[in-house]
Amino acid sequence: MGKLYDELLKDYRVKEGLKTCINCGTCTAICPAAEFYRYDPRKVMDIVQSRDEEEIEKLLKSDFIWYCGECMSCVTRCPRKNGPGLVIMALRNLSARLGYFVCSEKGRQLYPLTRILTGNILNYGYCVYPDTFKWEDHKESGPVWKWHTEHIRDTMARVGANFKGEGPGVLRKIPQESLDELKRIFDVTGGTERIETVEKFSRAKAEEMGMDMDEYFRETFEHTSGSHLNNDD
Amino acid sequence: MIYQGKQKIWADYQKEIPDNHWFYVRSCIRQNFFPGSEKMFLEICRNVLKKDFFETEYHTTCGGIAYHCDTIPQETVMTIVARQFALMTEAGYENYVASCITSFGNYAEIIETWREFPEVETRIRELLWKACRREFKIPKNLAHASDLIYKYRNEIAARAKYRLVNRYTGEPLKVVEHIGCHYAKMFPSKGVGGAEYPYVLCGMIESWGGNVIDYPERRHCCGYGFRQYHVKANRGYSLSNTYKKFESMEPYHPDFILTNCPGCPYFMDRWQYVIAETEGKTYGGNGYGIPVLTYEELASLVLGYDPWDIGMQLHQVAVEPLLDKIGIAYDPKEKYKGLNEKDLMRPELPGVLRCC
Amino acid sequence: MKENIVIIGGGIAGLEAAAQLLSLGYKPIIIEKSDHLGGHVAEWNCLFPDMTPARDIVSSLAARSADANIFLNTEISFVNKLKDSYNIMLSNGISIITKIILVTTGFSVFDAAKKEEYGYGVYDQVITNRDLEHWFNTGEDKRVNDCGMNAVGFVHCVGSRDEKARNPQCSKVCCITAVKQAIELKQKFPDAMVYCFYMDLRMFGKKYEDFYISAQRDYGVRFIRGRVSEVSENIDGRVIVKAEDTLSGKPVKVTLDLLVLMAGMVCSPDSTRVANMARLPVDSDGFLKSEDNVADIISSPKEGVFYAGACTGPKTVPETLAEARAAALKVHLYIKGLE
Amino acid sequence: MDFGFKLSPSSAINLDKVDLSRFEKLHGIEPDIIKCMACGSCTSSCPANRFSGMSLRKVILDLQRGREKEALGMLRNCMLCGKCTMVCPRGINTRHLILSICRIYGEDGK
């Protein structure tokens, strides 16, 4: 592997997203994450463009790169046509590939995310799916969602969805041959390899933390320590 | 506010939207939380306006949420998207319309990346062939489904049963519009009206009789943030961003909020519930919330569809006060019924947020 | 001394060059498309750093160049290259054969409405540097008069140093103009909070730094290092400005009664038009291209065509005047060479 | 009801709400404080900076942004060596300034 900066530069999102940054702060000014986390996208851009390997490695192992919500509001405003949000995506990608993500609490959340989202895609063909979107894990979805999922065949039929049905329509069953194609796409494009990498590093980290994988899942999915928010000490 | 100033900007961002013959792809989030909306989109386009919208059961998620949660590499999402394009090509279409804003942004980003770096497109063609033995053409026109309803807004207005007017006062309803971030923030020219003053929803509201409210945090993200919502530990971020928007719009007393992204109405609806339960604060008057509608729901309501047929009962914030203001007829007893009057009980009532 | 000299543009560069050429014994012709002389400077109130009234500069220049042949309300219809001269057709039907053209077409103020996120032309209380000078001159502007003036902001670099606005270069004079206008507002409204949002403060000219120190020390103007990202309007019609306070690394917002956008300089469409007609090259910054940007900025690559002032890039008033004098001398020596 | 998460505080500095009354008092006795142009010379020469993060530049800024707690926390690390006074290009008597800050902001028992 080459140097971290060189690895980043191979990513098209860095080619697109980081030309030259003038540290003006237009990105941070309207960044939702900068307001609610201890986060400053301008500084992330500045570290990457510094090409300081040590600093970039620290960044890849830190919580900072995981605060962004990828809303891309920064892209609209940058006077140098940079995309800090795109650079964040490249940093996260590299952190995942190298296993650095397990070094930070927010990075470790990649494990539950990968399990939930790639699981939904490969099993159902959807990113979000009622069978795995449980009220217990999503109490904010409200009593209405609880009711809806308790009666889902009926409530879906009431509004004309084709829930788990054949043929087209809302939340139809996606044919097995299409799911097979998705699996083969994952296999040839590095999607499967990424899932395995995240799994491998997370397993090692869970062991280090003295947890089994279910405990590790709950821990990374639910737990937040101090120091991320502005009033944390 | 100088309305003509906005009109000048709108005139600069008029994208080409063909009138007919579209290949339709669905949204993961919309299907889960607003299943009636997608059904109504096709109902209005096909049966009311007699347009050709094709859907194949073989299409899948675009992978956008997984991509923006950083769980799949760029090549994976690009190849999934290439497969969707292949399905369009095989069906003989060249206009591609997505129900989801994340998808729409994803498609736009990928097409732009391929344009800028043709070697990436070549590589993805190879990967798609290897995985699926499929080939594709890049869509000639890419639209978001709200672009189409915008395009048809006057035809809908001509057939409308209701207008967005408060029947007690005769005043136009005050409407907040909220645009999904990935609609135009990355590529302002891809959105009707651009990134700063998008017109896609304003056009519908104006055409159907309402007044648009511009409030300070109008452009701010709803706070979805992908991993900031899907991981429970991070949801304070998502909640806080919606809270910021509601605090900013509160002095304007909006009658409802119109959205074009599938996620935003879910978050702005449910976070009102959470804010009510945790902070004791409600925004809609008399303890109610402010209803947050999808553009398909709004189009269906003005066209006179039954609110419970289009899925308004799946909102946490009660829509009845809005229906009453417009004068839309509905039967409260039918709200939580299944087909053929099947009794499905009803959701529990929240502790603070007033619901019907 | 019968050689025709055509000066295109009756701004301060054209007038100063004409005055010098008159004193050298020539009778230059000034073509001005508007109905008055003095260009942008004629619309300004006071000039930094000594607060010289702009009208004094313009009236003195106009007096010194009064003996030139001046065509107001006149545009160039076309320019033909003849064997060793140019045939210039004017919009009033007159045609002039000349061997010497001095281009003094100047700049345009960047159209601030193009920075959509700043809301010029959309939000009532957003004005430009030019609007504010107009108010200094006339006292007529509802937006300024009726706003209470408790808090005012200046946004530097509007349409300058901005690739999105297709204007990557620095307009150079806006930093000091903002400091000047901030001081002037403070003089009129001592209790107002005045903020300047800047990226860098380019205080390059004589006494500019003193001016900046005075703005801080004597007037309490507050400088915030961060480029404004977004402006919105609240229910009272005041504007909310968002930037990053980059020195503390935190987002900052403030509600203002009035926001002044420091619209930068771009090459004027008239310069581009003349360049097209006379086949003059345009530089990568959009301004007219000189023979050499260091050694010979006032010569064009075309025989007998010279430049002075902001048609080759943003310049201050003293720089423009100095260039106009240099161009006059260059023209004089060129004519000597022809003889 | 506990959802497992809650509203986060905003880090945005809202200049509309910053109370500058103590800063104005300080400015009354230290008029040069607003001449600071945030060049950072003080910080780079500060012997306390390396191990404590003390930065007079940030202290001056924080006081103007209503972040008094942060400013005073940093100032505790100052050793009053006066190096910053020697390097300030705007000629601010920083050592004197620091003592005045302590006096004004220390009034309610800090």
Side-chain angles (χ1 to χ4, degrees):
Chain A
M1 194 196 75
K3 296 203 301 188
L4 294 171
Y5 179 79
D6 298 333
E7 283 301 307
L8 282 172
L9 208 57
K10 285 181 199 159
D11 194 308
Y12 290 94
R13 291 165 293 199
V14 173
K15 288 185 216 212
E16 272 295 284
L18 179 56
K19 287 104 182 186
T20 48
C21 166
I22 39 175
N23 266 289
C24 68
T26 41
C27 48
T28 304
I30 41 80
C31 173
E35 181 161 355
F36 297 112
Y37 285 123
R38 286 184 176 166
Y39 174 63
D40 187 342
R42 174 178 59 81
K43 288 184 185 155
V44 173
M45 294 292 274
D46 203 39
I47 290 172
V48 176
Q49 84 170 358
S50 76
R51 307 187 185 200
D52 183 327
E53 285 292 304
E54 207 177 308
E55 287 296 314
I56 293 174
E57 186 175 327
K58 259 199 252 168
L59 196 59
L60 292 169
K61 291 178 173 173
S62 74
D63 283 313
F64 297 113
I65 57 170
W66 305 100
Y67 290 143
C68 162
E70 298 189 11
C71 71
M72 303 295 167
S73 302
C74 48
V75 176
T76 326
R77 299 280 165 68
C78 176
R80 283 283 174 92
K81 292 188 180 174
N82 295 322
L86 291 169
V87 175
I88 285 286
M89 292 174 83
L91 286 163
R92 289 174 174 184
N93 186 58
L94 187 60
S95 181
R97 222 179 78 203
L98 301 176
Y100 289 177
F101 66 98
V102 296
C103 301
S104 68
E105 181 187 307
K106 296 288 179 192
R108 289 193 283 277
Q109 295 171 341
L110 201 51
Y111 176 67
L113 283 168
T114 302
R115 240 172 63 175
I116 296 167
L117 292 161
T118 61
N120 284 342
I121 292 179
L122 294 171
N123 294 328
Y124 305 105
Y126 297 92
C127 276
V128 178
Y129 197 65
D131 294 22
T132 60
F133 197 94
K134 297 285 182 210
W135 178 80
E136 290 73 20
D137 282 333
H138 292 274
K139 290 207 174 118
E140 72 284 352
S141 62
V144 74
W145 177 260
K146 189 163 179 269
W147 168 80
H148 172 53
T149 46
E150 282 164 2
H151 304 277
I152 193 153
R153 295 255 174 207
D154 289 310
T155 46
M156 283 291 189
R158 176 75 179 83
V159 298
N162 183 22
F163 186 48
K164 299 197 181 195
E166 305 290 327
V170 173
L171 280 179
R172 72 210 177 279
K173 179 182 175 359
I174 290 179
Q176 189 57 45
E177 56 261 49
S178 297
L179 296 180
D180 293 342
E181 284 187 52
L182 284 180
K183 178 70 175 80
R184 287 200 299 276
I185 288 175
F186 268 62
D187 289 344
V188 303
T189 58
T192 307
E193 190 189 338
R194 174 58 50 82
I195 295 170
E196 288 163 357
T197 305
V198 169
E199 180 87 21
K200 184 183 89 184
F201 283 101
S202 300
R203 257 177 208 291
K205 189 69 192 179
E207 201 171 315
E208 186 192 315
M209 293 167 76
M211 294 176 187
D212 68 30
M213 288 319 278
D214 284 337
E215 286 167 344
Y216 184 77
F217 183 98
R218 293 315 312 176
E219 169 74 15
T220 50
F221 182 72
E222 285 174 1
H223 180 73
T224 178
S225 68
S227 81
H228 303 294
L229 305 180
N230 299 297
N231 63 346
D232 291 335
D233 287 326
Chain B
M1 198 78 64
I2 306 160
Y3 186 74
Q4 293 81 351
K6 285 192 180 176
Q7 284 179 312
K8 256 169 80 182
I9 293 171
W10 292 334
D12 289 342
Y13 294 97
Q14 288 302 323
K15 74 185 237 188
E16 197 192 330
I17 309 166
D19 186 59
N20 206 348
H21 304 299
W22 289 90
F23 183 85
Y24 181 62
V25 289
R26 293 184 180 273
S27 150
C28 299
I29 295 223
R30 208 185 293 282
Q31 290 177 90
N32 273 271
F33 300 109
F34 305 97
S37 289
E38 289 197 351
K39 184 202 68 175
M40 289 314 301
F41 178 79
L42 291 179
E43 161 74 18
I44 292 170
C45 294
R46 286 171 173 164
N47 299 339
V48 177
L49 303 171
K50 311 291 178 203
K51 311 285 182 187
D52 168 32
F53 278 72
F54 180 81
E55 180 201 0
T56 167
E57 69 222 72
Y58 297 102
H59 86 279
T60 66
T61 176
C62 74
I65 295 177
Y67 174 59
H68 283 292
C69 285
D70 314 284
T71 60
I72 56 175
Q74 200 178 21
E75 288 196 343
T76 307
V77 73
M78 282 184 170
T79 313
I80 297 175
V81 163
R83 179 180 174 275
Q84 308 271 76
F85 289 164
L87 295 174
M88 175 201 75
T89 309
E90 290 159 20
Y93 285 79
E94 49 189 19
N95 301 328
Y96 191 95
V97 56
S99 167
C100 174
I101 291 284
T102 302
S103 289
F104 176 72
N106 196 22
Y107 296 127
E109 182 195 338
I110 289 172
I111 293 171
E112 283 303 305
T113 307
W114 290 347
R115 198 201 311 277
E116 192 131 336
F117 306 102
E119 71 276 16
V120 185
E121 184 186 334
T122 310
R123 164 103 181 118
I124 298 302
R125 285 184 183 279
E126 287 164 15
L127 288 169
L128 182 68
W129 181 255
K130 203 168 152 192
C132 307
R133 294 282 182 272
R134 290 183 194 269
E135 291 177 293
F136 67 92
K137 284 190 189 141
I138 293 175
K140 205 164 145 192
N141 292 289
L142 174 67
H144 180 255
S146 63
D147 293 339
L148 271 302
I149 297 294
Y150 165 81
K151 170 102 181 167
Y152 304 144
R153 69 195 184 285
N154 294 329
E155 291 176 62
I156 291 170
R159 291 170 167 83
K161 193 170 164 195
Y162 301 104
R163 289 185 59 77
L164 303 178
V165 172
N166 185 325
R167 68 165 168 158
Y168 304 117
T169 64
E171 295 288 317
L173 293 182
K174 290 174 286 183
V175 191
V176 153
E177 44 95 35
H178 177 82
I179 303 289
C181 290
H182 291 197
Y183 176 67
K185 283 185 178 174
M186 290 186 279
F187 303 102
S189 64
K190 303 266 189 280
V192 175
E196 301 294 345
Y197 308 93
Y199 188 60
V200 61
L201 295 178
C202 294
M204 295 178 205
I205 295 163
E206 289 178 352
S207 173
W208 301 339
N211 260 358
V212 179
I213 287 172
D214 194 345
Y215 65 106
E217 296 297 348
R218 171 177 57 80
R219 303 161 172 122
H220 197 77
C221 173
C222 72
Y224 176 20
F226 302 99
R227 70 183 337 268
Q228 315 303 352
Y229 176 73
H230 286 288
V231 176
K232 187 175 177 180
N234 300 342
R235 283 177 204 155
Y237 163 102
S238 187
L239 174 66
S240 303
N241 280 294
T242 285
Y243 177 68
K244 177 175 162 166
K245 289 184 73 76
F246 276 92
E247 287 292 303
S248 174
M249 72 175 81
E250 186 183 18
Y252 298 81
H253 305 292
D255 292 303
F256 71 97
I257 300 166
L258 184 64
T259 57
N260 73 340
C261 181
C264 309
Y266 168 75
F267 294 108
M268 294 172 87
D269 181 81
R270 297 314 204 271
W271 292 138
Q272 282 191 79
Y273 156 67
V274 174
I275 291 165
E277 302 309 301
T278 57
E279 308 292 315
K281 181 146 191 192
T282 53
Y283 293 93
N286 300 325
Y288 288 104
I290 303 173
V292 192
L293 273 58
T294 68
Y295 54 91
E296 298 104 322
E297 288 170 341
L298 185 63
S300 307
L301 286 176
V302 301
L303 285 169
Y305 286 88
D306 185 297
W308 317 138
D309 286 347
I310 66 174
M312 301 305 292
Q313 65 274 36
L314 296 177
H315 292 236
Q316 185 62 58
V317 171
V319 294
E320 284 87 338
L322 173 66
L323 302 179
D324 291 341
K325 264 183 221 168
I326 306 176
I328 293 174
Y330 62 93
D331 183 350
K333 292 194 296 295
E334 290 294 309
K335 184 172 182 182
Y336 296 112
K337 289 275 168 62
L339 286 175
N340 308 315
E341 299 290 309
K342 185 173 174 186
D343 182 15
L344 304 178
M345 328 272 280
R346 55 167 298 146
E348 290 164 36
L349 287 171
V352 177
L353 183 70
R354 195 163 160 203
C355 293
C356 300
Chain C
M1 294 290 183
K2 58 186 183 333
E3 205 63 64
N4 272 336
I5 303 168
V6 173
I7 300 175
I8 306 176
I12 58 165
L15 295 182
E16 177 66 36
Q20 297 294 338
L21 288 165
L22 283 165
S23 66
L24 287 165
Y26 300 96
K27 181 90 171 165
I29 301 162
I30 301 176
I31 318 290
E32 168 57 41
K33 74 163 182 179
S34 77
D35 62 357
H36 67 276
L37 297 171
H40 294 285
V41 177
E43 297 170 17
W44 234 244
N45 180 43
C46 282
L47 303 176
F48 50 78
D50 293 333
M51 305 308 254
T52 319
R55 63 172 177 277
D56 291 359
I57 302 270
V58 172
S59 54
S60 130
L61 282 171
R64 284 167 51 221
S65 56
D67 290 340
N69 278 322
I70 301 173
F71 293 99
L72 293 177
N73 301 308
T74 306
E75 294 194 53
I76 312 285
S77 298
F78 60 79
V79 178
N80 278 343
K81 178 89 177 81
L82 308 175
K83 188 164 169 286
D84 58 355
S85 60
Y86 297 90
N87 175 22
I88 299 180
M89 175 60 89
L90 305 181
S91 56
N92 57 12
I94 294 172
S95 94
I96 306 165
I97 307 283
T98 179
K99 286 184 177 148
I100 298 118
I101 300 175
L102 179 57
V103 182
T104 55
T105 41
F107 67 96
S108 286
V109 178
F110 174 79
D111 175 10
K114 284 188 186 158
K115 285 298 284 180
E116 294 164 20
E117 61 268 44
Y118 292 169
Y120 183 67
V122 175
Y123 303 133
D124 292 293
Q125 289 310 105
V126 180
I127 68 171
T128 64
N129 41 2
R130 198 221 295 251
D131 297 336
L132 187 58
E133 285 296 325
H134 178 76
W135 180 77
F136 286 143
N137 269 331
T138 64
E140 288 164 13
D141 194 322
K142 262 178 69 67
R143 299 170 296 186
V144 187
N145 290 333
D146 299 347
C147 75
M149 207 59 97
N150 293 310
V152 185
F154 288 84
V155 183
H156 293 223
C157 298
V158 174
S160 304
R161 306 178 71 194
D162 189 337
E163 291 188 31
K164 279 239 163 81
R166 301 209 178 97
N167 207 34
Q169 95 284 347
C170 168
S171 293
K172 184 169 169 178
V173 301
C174 330
C175 282
I176 182 67
T177 304
V179 170
K180 179 197 82 107
Q181 294 187 335
I183 288 177
E184 288 175 288
L185 275 188
K186 267 294 214 183
Q187 287 169 340
K188 290 182 198 300
F189 306 97
D191 294 333
M193 289 293 253
V194 176
Y195 301 95
C196 282
F197 293 89
Y198 70 98
M199 279 201 295
D200 300 292
L201 284 169
R202 299 190 163 179
M203 295 292 146
F204 58 90
K206 184 176 166 68
K207 298 207 309 196
Y208 291 6
E209 185 74 5
D210 300 344
F211 219 48
Y212 166 39
I213 295 175
S214 168
Q216 288 179 291
R217 185 193 53 211
D218 306 332
Y219 294 98
V221 174
R222 296 156 67 88
F223 291 86
I224 297 174
R225 193 203 171 275
R227 190 172 184 130
V228 168
S229 187
E230 173 177 301
V231 178
S232 51
E233 189 176 281
N234 76 5
I235 197 160
D236 310 321
R238 301 172 82 206
V239 286
I240 299 173
V241 171
K242 289 188 193 170
E244 182 192 357
D245 180 17
T246 59
L247 297 173
S248 57
K250 301 237 175 301
V252 61
K253 69 171 182 178
V254 62
T255 312
L256 302 171
D257 300 299
L258 187 70
L259 184 69
V260 187
L261 305 180
M262 304 311 295
M265 289 185 179
V266 293
C267 189
S268 78
D270 301 314
S271 300
T272 315
R273 247 184 90 238
V274 168
N276 284 339
M277 289 189 286
R279 306 246 160 95
L280 298 168
V282 172
D283 215 338
S284 57
D285 60 359
F287 289 89
L288 302 189
K289 190 171 165 58
S290 298
E291 184 65 21
D292 188 302
N293 283 333
V294 176
D296 195 4
I297 198 146
I298 53 181
S299 293
S300 85
K302 290 269 173 192
E303 186 72 18
V305 181
F306 303 95
Y307 304 133
C311 62
T312 54
K315 287 190 185 97
T316 63
V317 170
E319 285 167 349
T320 299
L321 295 177
E323 230 176 53
R325 285 168 210 133
L329 183 61
K330 190 102 185 172
V331 167
H332 172 63
L333 296 174
Y334 181 77
I335 292 171
K336 286 271 171 256
L338 291 178
E339 290 163 1
Chain D
M1 183 162 177
D2 180 18
F3 292 91
F5 50 88
K6 53 185 191 300
L7 284 172
S8 312
S10 167
S11 71
I13 297 165
N14 186 346
L15 291 176
D16 302 344
K17 295 192 174 149
V18 174
D19 176 9
L20 287 175
S21 50
R22 281 213 279 199
F23 184 80
E24 285 311 325
K25 204 167 160 190
L26 175 67
H27 177 220
I29 57 168
E30 293 284 349
D32 277 358
I33 188 171
I34 52 176
K35 274 167 67 186
C36 170
M37 56 176 174
C39 69
S41 303
C42 50
T43 307
S44 65
S45 65
C46 177
N49 172 263
R50 304 250 341 216
F51 60 88
S52 74
M54 160 67 195
S55 163
L56 183 59
R57 170 182 81 71
K58 286 188 187 156
V59 169
I60 293 173
L61 191 74
D62 281 346
L63 291 179
Q64 296 180 73
R65 302 287 185 262
R67 294 160 51 82
E68 296 174 1
K69 205 179 86 191
E70 289 82 351
L72 299 177
M74 247 187 287
L75 264 193
R76 278 197 204 101
N77 300 305
C78 170
M79 302 179 291
L80 287 172
C81 71
K83 269 193 171 177
C84 45
T85 307
M86 290 160 64
V87 297
C88 178
R90 282 284 175 89
I92 302 171
N93 186 340
T94 50
R95 192 169 180 279
H96 197 267
L97 171 65
I98 290 167
L99 290 169
S100 298
I101 294 172
C102 292
R103 213 167 53 244
I104 301 260
Y105 288 85
E107 274 166 5
D108 36 82
K110 270 275 171 196

